[in-house]
Amino acid sequence: MNTVQENLKQIQQEINIAAAKTGRNSEDITLLAVTKYVTIERTEEAVDAGIVDLGENRIEGFLEKQAAIGEKAVWHFIGSLQTRKVKDVINQVDYLHALDRLSLAKEIQKRAEKKIKCFVQINVSGEATKSGVSPEETLGFIQQLAGFPAIEVVGLMTMAPNTEKEDVLRSVFSGLRQLRDEVRAADMLHAPCTYLSMGMSNDYTIAIEEGATHIRVGSALVGPYK
């Protein structure tokens, strides 16, 4: 198994190439190490390699790793968050990537002790197995979030289909970018919506070419190992 440093070097080269293709600055792209399947030790290896942003989607693993690593990392909760679990995690996260319903927003408002930076999850592909707000409901949903002062909508997030068809992936990623632009054009104080969280180990270069600002890379970076 490669070291995280070795993997990071390869991924950073690919980020640079993908960014250059569209005239972007690679420094504007945040690499999240998705550490949900790896040990605390492997996660610490990622931090030691210079990775600042860590993504977790299971509360128990998130809290264990945060207790060990603490403020050396920026913490992203990237999985679906059950309403009843909000109290356990919301004040420990720096970013929440999966705000997808008003009931969750209400619970965040109830429990938050600080302003929570949220990505609204959009189901761009329309797959029944995926969570998220539909594209047609996105603007209206975000407008409703103005009633929850603890929430700041910093961007949109989506998960692409598990496919190698580049045209399908580009359609999903460009669709999220267009939605982001519509939200920004609405000029809402609670929703600056500058970021796009999209792209994973198998498709992050395409996501970057389509405008991703945050890519969520697990197996290609830290490995799918316990």
Side-chain angles (χ1 to χ4, degrees):
M1 183 169 64
N2 289 346
T3 66
V4 175
Q5 186 71 62
E6 289 168 338
N7 291 338
L8 177 61
K9 183 177 180 180
Q10 177 64 36
I11 289 168
Q12 194 60 59
Q13 289 176 345
E14 293 180 355
I15 290 172
N16 293 342
I17 292 168
K21 280 185 179 180
T22 52
R24 300 182 64 199
N25 187 339
S26 61
E27 293 182 0
D28 294 334
I29 297 159
T30 299
L31 171 63
L32 271 68
V34 179
T35 54
K36 61 185 179 179
Y37 292 127
V38 299
T39 61
I40 291 172
E41 291 73 23
R42 185 71 165 175
T43 304
E44 289 175 329
E45 184 185 340
V47 174
D48 291 342
I51 296 169
V52 174
D53 294 83
L54 301 180
E56 283 282 328
N57 74 341
R58 296 180 298 183
I59 290 176
E60 183 178 325
F62 167 78
L63 294 174
E64 288 176 351
K65 286 170 180 147
Q66 190 178 56
I69 295 168
E71 295 182 359
K72 290 191 289 184
V74 175
W75 296 96
H76 300 252
F77 196 83
I78 60 174
S80 180
L81 183 58
Q82 293 176 289
T83 305
R84 63 185 178 87
K85 296 286 189 179
V86 168
K87 65 182 184 297
D88 299 325
V89 71
I90 200 62
N91 291 302
Q92 278 67 53
V93 300
D94 295 299
Y95 292 88
L96 174 67
H97 285 243
L99 177 55
D100 61 356
R101 59 198 188 280
L102 284 178
S103 61
L104 180 57
K106 290 176 182 176
E107 191 65 17
I108 291 171
Q109 181 64 39
K110 179 180 176 182
R111 302 290 183 176
E113 298 169 1
K114 60 179 180 178
K115 185 159 284 195
I116 307 300
K117 297 177 180 178
C118 295
F119 290 79
V120 171
Q121 182 171 355
I122 312 298
N123 186 356
V124 179
S125 66
E127 293 173 274
T129 55
K130 287 187 166 59
S131 301
V133 180
S134 71
E136 296 76 22
E137 296 173 338
T138 297
L139 189 57
F141 176 76
I142 293 175
Q143 286 171 335
Q144 291 182 78
L145 295 177
F148 303 93
I151 291 173
E152 180 182 19
V153 179
V154 298
L156 303 182
M157 183 274 264
T158 200
M159 297 182 68
N162 184 17
T163 179
E164 295 181 358
K165 294 180 179 178
E166 185 174 323
D167 59 332
V168 173
L169 295 171
R170 288 193 185 279
S171 177
V172 169
F173 294 145
S174 64
L176 192 71
R177 185 186 70 242
Q178 291 165 19
L179 285 170
R180 189 274 313 270
D181 293 347
E182 290 176 18
V183 175
R184 288 181 69 180
D187 197 24
M188 295 177 277
L189 286 176
H190 71 287
C193 205
T194 53
Y195 299 143
L196 288 171
S197 174
M198 57 189 194
M200 298 165 66
S201 288
N202 62 323
D203 56 21
Y204 67 84
T205 57
I206 297 171
I208 290 169
E209 290 174 21
E210 295 297 339
T213 63
H214 293 65
I215 56 174
R216 311 180 303 270
V217 182
S219 57
L221 180 57
V222 295
Y225 302 95
K226 298 286 184 184

Short mmCIF file of all heavy atoms in Angstrom, two decimals, residues 5-55:
data_model
loop_
_atom_site.label_atom_id
_atom_site.label_comp_id
_atom_site.label_asym_id
_atom_site.label_seq_id
_atom_site.Cartn_x
_atom_site.Cartn_y
_atom_site.Cartn_z
N GLN A 5 1.50 10.20 1.43
CA GLN A 5 2.33 11.20 0.76
C GLN A 5 2.52 10.86 -0.72
O GLN A 5 2.44 11.75 -1.58
CB GLN A 5 3.69 11.30 1.46
CG GLN A 5 4.58 12.43 0.93
CD GLN A 5 4.08 13.79 1.33
OE1 GLN A 5 3.99 14.11 2.51
NE2 GLN A 5 3.75 14.62 0.35
N GLU A 6 2.74 9.59 -1.02
CA GLU A 6 2.90 9.17 -2.41
C GLU A 6 1.60 9.38 -3.20
O GLU A 6 1.62 9.89 -4.33
CB GLU A 6 3.31 7.70 -2.47
CG GLU A 6 4.74 7.45 -1.99
CD GLU A 6 5.03 5.98 -1.77
OE1 GLU A 6 4.08 5.18 -1.58
OE2 GLU A 6 6.22 5.62 -1.79
N ASN A 7 0.49 8.98 -2.59
CA ASN A 7 -0.80 9.18 -3.26
C ASN A 7 -1.10 10.65 -3.47
O ASN A 7 -1.61 11.06 -4.52
CB ASN A 7 -1.92 8.54 -2.43
CG ASN A 7 -1.85 7.02 -2.41
OD1 ASN A 7 -1.26 6.41 -3.29
ND2 ASN A 7 -2.45 6.42 -1.41
N LEU A 8 -0.80 11.45 -2.45
CA LEU A 8 -1.08 12.88 -2.52
C LEU A 8 -0.30 13.54 -3.65
O LEU A 8 -0.84 14.40 -4.36
CB LEU A 8 -0.73 13.54 -1.18
CG LEU A 8 -0.91 15.05 -1.11
CD1 LEU A 8 -2.35 15.45 -1.36
CD2 LEU A 8 -0.43 15.57 0.26
N LYS A 9 0.93 13.14 -3.83
CA LYS A 9 1.75 13.71 -4.90
C LYS A 9 1.11 13.47 -6.26
O LYS A 9 1.02 14.37 -7.10
CB LYS A 9 3.16 13.12 -4.86
CG LYS A 9 4.11 13.71 -5.89
CD LYS A 9 5.51 13.14 -5.76
CE LYS A 9 6.44 13.73 -6.80
NZ LYS A 9 7.82 13.17 -6.69
N GLN A 10 0.63 12.23 -6.48
CA GLN A 10 -0.01 11.89 -7.75
C GLN A 10 -1.32 12.66 -7.93
O GLN A 10 -1.61 13.20 -9.01
CB GLN A 10 -0.29 10.38 -7.80
CG GLN A 10 -1.03 9.91 -9.04
CD GLN A 10 -0.23 10.12 -10.32
OE1 GLN A 10 1.00 9.99 -10.32
NE2 GLN A 10 -0.92 10.45 -11.41
N ILE A 11 -2.12 12.72 -6.89
CA ILE A 11 -3.41 13.41 -6.97
C ILE A 11 -3.20 14.89 -7.20
O ILE A 11 -3.92 15.52 -8.00
CB ILE A 11 -4.23 13.15 -5.69
CG1 ILE A 11 -4.70 11.69 -5.69
CG2 ILE A 11 -5.42 14.10 -5.59
CD1 ILE A 11 -5.28 11.24 -4.36
N GLN A 12 -2.22 15.48 -6.55
CA GLN A 12 -1.97 16.91 -6.73
C GLN A 12 -1.55 17.22 -8.16
O GLN A 12 -1.94 18.25 -8.72
CB GLN A 12 -0.90 17.39 -5.74
CG GLN A 12 -0.81 18.92 -5.62
CD GLN A 12 -2.11 19.54 -5.15
OE1 GLN A 12 -2.59 19.22 -4.06
NE2 GLN A 12 -2.68 20.43 -5.96
N GLN A 13 -0.78 16.33 -8.77
CA GLN A 13 -0.41 16.51 -10.17
C GLN A 13 -1.65 16.49 -11.06
O GLN A 13 -1.80 17.32 -11.97
CB GLN A 13 0.56 15.41 -10.60
CG GLN A 13 1.95 15.54 -10.01
CD GLN A 13 2.86 14.37 -10.39
OE1 GLN A 13 2.39 13.33 -10.84
NE2 GLN A 13 4.15 14.54 -10.19
N GLU A 14 -2.56 15.58 -10.78
CA GLU A 14 -3.78 15.48 -11.58
C GLU A 14 -4.70 16.68 -11.34
O GLU A 14 -5.37 17.15 -12.27
CB GLU A 14 -4.49 14.17 -11.27
CG GLU A 14 -3.69 12.96 -11.73
CD GLU A 14 -4.37 11.63 -11.42
OE1 GLU A 14 -5.43 11.64 -10.76
OE2 GLU A 14 -3.83 10.59 -11.84
N ILE A 15 -4.73 17.18 -10.12
CA ILE A 15 -5.49 18.40 -9.83
C ILE A 15 -4.93 19.57 -10.63
O ILE A 15 -5.67 20.35 -11.25
CB ILE A 15 -5.46 18.72 -8.32
CG1 ILE A 15 -6.30 17.70 -7.54
CG2 ILE A 15 -5.98 20.15 -8.05
CD1 ILE A 15 -6.17 17.83 -6.03
N ASN A 16 -3.62 19.69 -10.65
CA ASN A 16 -2.97 20.79 -11.38
C ASN A 16 -3.30 20.73 -12.87
O ASN A 16 -3.60 21.76 -13.49
CB ASN A 16 -1.46 20.73 -11.18
CG ASN A 16 -1.04 21.04 -9.75
OD1 ASN A 16 -1.79 21.60 -8.97
ND2 ASN A 16 0.18 20.65 -9.39
N ILE A 17 -3.26 19.53 -13.43
CA ILE A 17 -3.54 19.36 -14.87
C ILE A 17 -5.00 19.71 -15.16
O ILE A 17 -5.30 20.43 -16.12
CB ILE A 17 -3.22 17.92 -15.31
CG1 ILE A 17 -1.70 17.66 -15.25
CG2 ILE A 17 -3.75 17.65 -16.72
CD1 ILE A 17 -1.32 16.20 -15.39
N ALA A 18 -5.90 19.19 -14.35
CA ALA A 18 -7.33 19.44 -14.57
C ALA A 18 -7.67 20.92 -14.43
O ALA A 18 -8.45 21.48 -15.21
CB ALA A 18 -8.17 18.61 -13.60
N ALA A 19 -7.06 21.56 -13.46
CA ALA A 19 -7.31 22.99 -13.26
C ALA A 19 -6.78 23.80 -14.44
O ALA A 19 -7.45 24.72 -14.94
CB ALA A 19 -6.67 23.45 -11.95
N ALA A 20 -5.59 23.44 -14.89
CA ALA A 20 -4.97 24.18 -16.00
C ALA A 20 -5.79 24.09 -17.28
O ALA A 20 -5.82 25.02 -18.08
CB ALA A 20 -3.55 23.67 -16.23
N LYS A 21 -6.48 22.96 -17.47
CA LYS A 21 -7.28 22.78 -18.68
C LYS A 21 -8.35 23.85 -18.83
O LYS A 21 -8.74 24.20 -19.95
CB LYS A 21 -7.96 21.40 -18.67
CG LYS A 21 -7.05 20.25 -19.09
CD LYS A 21 -7.87 18.97 -19.17
CE LYS A 21 -7.01 17.79 -19.61
NZ LYS A 21 -7.81 16.55 -19.68
N THR A 22 -8.85 24.33 -17.71
CA THR A 22 -9.92 25.33 -17.75
C THR A 22 -9.48 26.68 -17.20
O THR A 22 -10.30 27.52 -16.85
CB THR A 22 -11.15 24.83 -16.97
OG1 THR A 22 -10.74 24.41 -15.65
CG2 THR A 22 -11.79 23.65 -17.68
N GLY A 23 -8.17 26.86 -17.12
CA GLY A 23 -7.64 28.16 -16.71
C GLY A 23 -7.87 28.48 -15.25
O GLY A 23 -7.92 29.66 -14.86
N ARG A 24 -8.00 27.45 -14.43
CA ARG A 24 -8.22 27.67 -13.01
C ARG A 24 -6.92 27.57 -12.23
O ARG A 24 -5.94 26.97 -12.68
CB ARG A 24 -9.23 26.64 -12.46
CG ARG A 24 -10.58 26.69 -13.14
CD ARG A 24 -11.54 25.68 -12.52
NE ARG A 24 -11.79 26.02 -11.12
CZ ARG A 24 -12.28 25.17 -10.21
NH1 ARG A 24 -12.56 23.93 -10.57
NH2 ARG A 24 -12.50 25.56 -8.97
N ASN A 25 -6.95 28.14 -11.02
CA ASN A 25 -5.82 28.02 -10.12
C ASN A 25 -6.05 26.83 -9.20
O ASN A 25 -7.06 26.77 -8.50
CB ASN A 25 -5.70 29.32 -9.29
CG ASN A 25 -4.43 29.34 -8.43
OD1 ASN A 25 -3.83 28.31 -8.13
ND2 ASN A 25 -4.03 30.53 -8.02
N SER A 26 -5.13 25.88 -9.22
CA SER A 26 -5.32 24.67 -8.41
C SER A 26 -5.39 24.98 -6.92
O SER A 26 -5.95 24.18 -6.14
CB SER A 26 -4.19 23.67 -8.69
OG SER A 26 -2.93 24.22 -8.34
N GLU A 27 -4.86 26.11 -6.51
CA GLU A 27 -4.92 26.48 -5.09
C GLU A 27 -6.33 26.83 -4.65
O GLU A 27 -6.61 26.92 -3.45
CB GLU A 27 -3.97 27.64 -4.81
CG GLU A 27 -2.50 27.26 -4.98
CD GLU A 27 -1.56 28.40 -4.65
OE1 GLU A 27 -2.05 29.49 -4.28
OE2 GLU A 27 -0.34 28.20 -4.76
N ASP A 28 -7.22 27.04 -5.61
CA ASP A 28 -8.62 27.34 -5.28
C ASP A 28 -9.45 26.07 -5.07
O ASP A 28 -10.66 26.15 -4.83
CB ASP A 28 -9.26 28.17 -6.40
CG ASP A 28 -8.64 29.56 -6.51
OD1 ASP A 28 -8.11 30.05 -5.50
OD2 ASP A 28 -8.68 30.13 -7.62
N ILE A 29 -8.81 24.92 -5.18
CA ILE A 29 -9.51 23.63 -5.04
C ILE A 29 -9.11 22.98 -3.73
O ILE A 29 -7.92 22.79 -3.45
CB ILE A 29 -9.17 22.71 -6.23
CG1 ILE A 29 -9.67 23.35 -7.53
CG2 ILE A 29 -9.80 21.34 -6.04
CD1 ILE A 29 -9.00 22.84 -8.77
N THR A 30 -10.09 22.68 -2.91
CA THR A 30 -9.86 22.06 -1.61
C THR A 30 -9.99 20.55 -1.73
O THR A 30 -11.02 20.04 -2.19
CB THR A 30 -10.89 22.58 -0.57
OG1 THR A 30 -10.73 23.99 -0.42
CG2 THR A 30 -10.69 21.90 0.77
N LEU A 31 -8.94 19.86 -1.32
CA LEU A 31 -8.93 18.40 -1.32
C LEU A 31 -9.34 17.90 0.05
O LEU A 31 -8.64 18.14 1.04
CB LEU A 31 -7.54 17.88 -1.69
CG LEU A 31 -7.30 16.38 -1.53
CD1 LEU A 31 -8.20 15.57 -2.45
CD2 LEU A 31 -5.82 16.05 -1.79
N LEU A 32 -10.48 17.21 0.10
CA LEU A 32 -10.91 16.56 1.34
C LEU A 32 -10.45 15.11 1.32
O LEU A 32 -10.75 14.37 0.38
CB LEU A 32 -12.45 16.54 1.45
CG LEU A 32 -13.17 17.71 2.09
CD1 LEU A 32 -13.04 18.96 1.24
CD2 LEU A 32 -14.62 17.36 2.30
N ALA A 33 -9.74 14.72 2.37
CA ALA A 33 -9.42 13.31 2.55
C ALA A 33 -10.59 12.64 3.24
O ALA A 33 -10.93 12.97 4.38
CB ALA A 33 -8.15 13.14 3.38
N VAL A 34 -11.26 11.72 2.53
CA VAL A 34 -12.38 11.00 3.11
C VAL A 34 -11.82 9.81 3.88
O VAL A 34 -11.34 8.84 3.29
CB VAL A 34 -13.38 10.55 2.03
CG1 VAL A 34 -14.53 9.77 2.65
CG2 VAL A 34 -13.91 11.77 1.28
N THR A 35 -11.88 9.90 5.19
CA THR A 35 -11.16 8.96 6.05
C THR A 35 -12.08 7.96 6.75
O THR A 35 -11.67 7.29 7.69
CB THR A 35 -10.37 9.75 7.11
OG1 THR A 35 -11.25 10.64 7.81
CG2 THR A 35 -9.27 10.57 6.46
N LYS A 36 -13.31 7.82 6.26
CA LYS A 36 -14.30 7.01 6.98
C LYS A 36 -13.93 5.54 7.06
O LYS A 36 -14.40 4.83 7.96
CB LYS A 36 -15.68 7.16 6.32
CG LYS A 36 -15.74 6.71 4.86
CD LYS A 36 -17.10 7.00 4.26
CE LYS A 36 -17.16 6.56 2.80
NZ LYS A 36 -18.48 6.82 2.21
N TYR A 37 -13.12 5.03 6.15
CA TYR A 37 -12.80 3.61 6.14
C TYR A 37 -11.40 3.30 6.67
O TYR A 37 -10.95 2.16 6.60
CB TYR A 37 -12.92 3.03 4.73
CG TYR A 37 -14.34 3.01 4.21
CD1 TYR A 37 -14.66 3.58 2.99
CD2 TYR A 37 -15.37 2.42 4.94
CE1 TYR A 37 -15.96 3.57 2.50
CE2 TYR A 37 -16.67 2.40 4.47
CZ TYR A 37 -16.96 2.97 3.24
OH TYR A 37 -18.25 2.96 2.78
N VAL A 38 -10.72 4.30 7.19
CA VAL A 38 -9.34 4.07 7.62
C VAL A 38 -9.18 4.38 9.11
O VAL A 38 -10.03 5.01 9.73
CB VAL A 38 -8.33 4.90 6.80
CG1 VAL A 38 -8.41 4.52 5.32
CG2 VAL A 38 -8.55 6.39 6.98
N THR A 39 -8.08 3.92 9.64
CA THR A 39 -7.82 4.05 11.07
C THR A 39 -7.43 5.47 11.43
O THR A 39 -7.12 6.31 10.57
CB THR A 39 -6.65 3.14 11.46
OG1 THR A 39 -5.49 3.56 10.72
CG2 THR A 39 -6.95 1.68 11.17
N ILE A 40 -7.40 5.73 12.74
CA ILE A 40 -6.91 7.02 13.23
C ILE A 40 -5.46 7.22 12.79
O ILE A 40 -5.07 8.32 12.39
CB ILE A 40 -7.04 7.09 14.76
CG1 ILE A 40 -8.52 7.16 15.16
CG2 ILE A 40 -6.28 8.30 15.32
CD1 ILE A 40 -8.77 7.05 16.65
N GLU A 41 -4.68 6.14 12.82
CA GLU A 41 -3.26 6.26 12.45
C GLU A 41 -3.10 6.67 11.00
O GLU A 41 -2.25 7.52 10.67
CB GLU A 41 -2.55 4.92 12.71
CG GLU A 41 -2.39 4.55 14.17
CD GLU A 41 -3.69 4.11 14.85
OE1 GLU A 41 -4.62 3.67 14.14
OE2 GLU A 41 -3.77 4.24 16.08
N ARG A 42 -3.89 6.07 10.12
CA ARG A 42 -3.82 6.43 8.70
C ARG A 42 -4.31 7.86 8.48
O ARG A 42 -3.78 8.59 7.65
CB ARG A 42 -4.66 5.45 7.87
CG ARG A 42 -4.57 5.63 6.37
CD ARG A 42 -3.23 5.22 5.78
NE ARG A 42 -3.31 5.09 4.32
CZ ARG A 42 -2.28 4.83 3.52
NH1 ARG A 42 -1.07 4.68 4.04
NH2 ARG A 42 -2.45 4.71 2.21
N THR A 43 -5.30 8.26 9.24
CA THR A 43 -5.79 9.63 9.16
C THR A 43 -4.72 10.61 9.63
O THR A 43 -4.51 11.67 9.02
CB THR A 43 -7.06 9.78 10.01
OG1 THR A 43 -8.03 8.83 9.58
CG2 THR A 43 -7.64 11.18 9.86
N GLU A 44 -4.02 10.26 10.69
CA GLU A 44 -2.92 11.11 11.17
C GLU A 44 -1.80 11.19 10.14
O GLU A 44 -1.16 12.24 9.98
CB GLU A 44 -2.39 10.57 12.50
CG GLU A 44 -3.36 10.77 13.65
CD GLU A 44 -2.89 10.13 14.95
OE1 GLU A 44 -2.19 9.08 14.86
OE2 GLU A 44 -3.22 10.65 16.02
N GLU A 45 -1.61 10.10 9.40
CA GLU A 45 -0.61 10.12 8.32
C GLU A 45 -1.01 11.15 7.26
O GLU A 45 -0.15 11.86 6.71
CB GLU A 45 -0.50 8.73 7.69
CG GLU A 45 0.58 8.63 6.63
CD GLU A 45 0.61 7.27 5.93
OE1 GLU A 45 0.08 6.28 6.47
OE2 GLU A 45 1.16 7.21 4.81
N ALA A 46 -2.29 11.23 6.98
CA ALA A 46 -2.78 12.21 6.00
C ALA A 46 -2.53 13.63 6.49
O ALA A 46 -2.08 14.50 5.72
CB ALA A 46 -4.27 12.00 5.74
N VAL A 47 -2.79 13.87 7.76
CA VAL A 47 -2.56 15.21 8.32
C VAL A 47 -1.07 15.54 8.28
O VAL A 47 -0.66 16.65 7.93
CB VAL A 47 -3.11 15.28 9.75
CG1 VAL A 47 -2.73 16.61 10.42
CG2 VAL A 47 -4.63 15.12 9.75
N ASP A 48 -0.24 14.57 8.62
CA ASP A 48 1.21 14.78 8.60
C ASP A 48 1.72 15.04 7.18
O ASP A 48 2.76 15.68 7.00
CB ASP A 48 1.93 13.57 9.20
CG ASP A 48 1.71 13.44 10.70
OD1 ASP A 48 1.30 14.44 11.33
OD2 ASP A 48 1.92 12.33 11.24
N ALA A 49 0.99 14.51 6.18
CA ALA A 49 1.38 14.74 4.79
C ALA A 49 0.98 16.14 4.31
O ALA A 49 1.32 16.53 3.19
CB ALA A 49 0.73 13.68 3.89
N GLY A 50 0.26 16.86 5.15
CA GLY A 50 -0.10 18.23 4.80
C GLY A 50 -1.56 18.42 4.42
O GLY A 50 -1.95 19.51 3.99
N ILE A 51 -2.37 17.37 4.56
CA ILE A 51 -3.79 17.49 4.26
C ILE A 51 -4.50 18.10 5.46
O ILE A 51 -4.41 17.60 6.57
CB ILE A 51 -4.39 16.11 3.92
CG1 ILE A 51 -3.72 15.57 2.65
CG2 ILE A 51 -5.90 16.21 3.74
CD1 ILE A 51 -4.04 14.13 2.36
N VAL A 52 -5.21 19.19 5.21
CA VAL A 52 -5.86 19.93 6.29
C VAL A 52 -7.31 19.50 6.46
O VAL A 52 -7.83 19.42 7.58
CB VAL A 52 -5.77 21.44 6.01
CG1 VAL A 52 -6.57 22.24 7.04
CG2 VAL A 52 -4.32 21.90 5.97
N ASP A 53 -7.99 19.22 5.35
CA ASP A 53 -9.43 19.00 5.37
C ASP A 53 -9.76 17.51 5.39
O ASP A 53 -9.35 16.76 4.49
CB ASP A 53 -10.07 19.65 4.13
CG ASP A 53 -9.93 21.16 4.17
OD1 ASP A 53 -8.86 21.67 3.76
OD2 ASP A 53 -10.88 21.82 4.60
N LEU A 54 -10.52 17.10 6.39
CA LEU A 54 -10.89 15.70 6.56
C LEU A 54 -12.40 15.55 6.50
O LEU A 54 -13.14 16.33 7.08
CB LEU A 54 -10.39 15.17 7.90
CG LEU A 54 -8.87 15.24 8.16
CD1 LEU A 54 -8.54 14.67 9.53
CD2 LEU A 54 -8.09 14.52 7.07
N GLY A 55 -12.86 14.50 5.79
CA GLY A 55 -14.28 14.26 5.63
C GLY A 55 -14.69 12.93 6.24
O GLY A 55 -14.08 11.89 5.97
#
